[in-house]
Amino acid sequence: MSEAKTMIRTEVTIDGTSFLLSQDQEVEDLRRRIEQAVETAGTFVDMTVVGNRSVSVLVTPRTHVTISVATVAFDARDTGDLEFPYGGYYDLL
């Protein structure tokens, strides 16, 4: 019996809204950009989320951010390639 393939999934929660990062996102770089944004009055931080979609979040000194990781089932579609989004209505066509 073979073992199921898995991958690491990173979840970023910003002011109570959860975002699951795509596999190509470097967490240390994202942390650095969030820390830099907190030092300003407010800066947009860009990230690519599951579904290969781009998200921009306004981060201010009052923003609450939590980053967590978990092992989940492998999803070969989760490449972070913004040219090939998946999920939602388009998967039904």
Side-chain angles (χ1 to χ4, degrees), residues 70-82:
T71 302
V72 299
F74 180 76
D75 185 346
R77 302 174 300 171
D78 186 17
T79 62
D81 187 346
L82 295 174

Side-chain angles (χ1 to χ4, degrees), residues 29-44:
D29 177 59
L30 179 60
R31 286 176 63 168
R32 180 186 52 75
R33 290 184 288 129
I34 290 170
E35 289 169 351
Q36 289 174 342
V38 168
E39 295 172 355
T40 70
T43 300
F44 277 96

Side-chain angles (χ1 to χ4, degrees), residues 69 78 89:
V69 296
D78 186 17
Y89 301 112

Side-chain angles (χ1 to χ4, degrees), residues 58-75:
L58 181 63
V59 177
T60 71
R62 297 183 58 112
T63 302
H64 295 265
V65 178
T66 303
I67 299 174
S68 61
V69 296
T71 302
V72 299
F74 180 76
D75 185 346

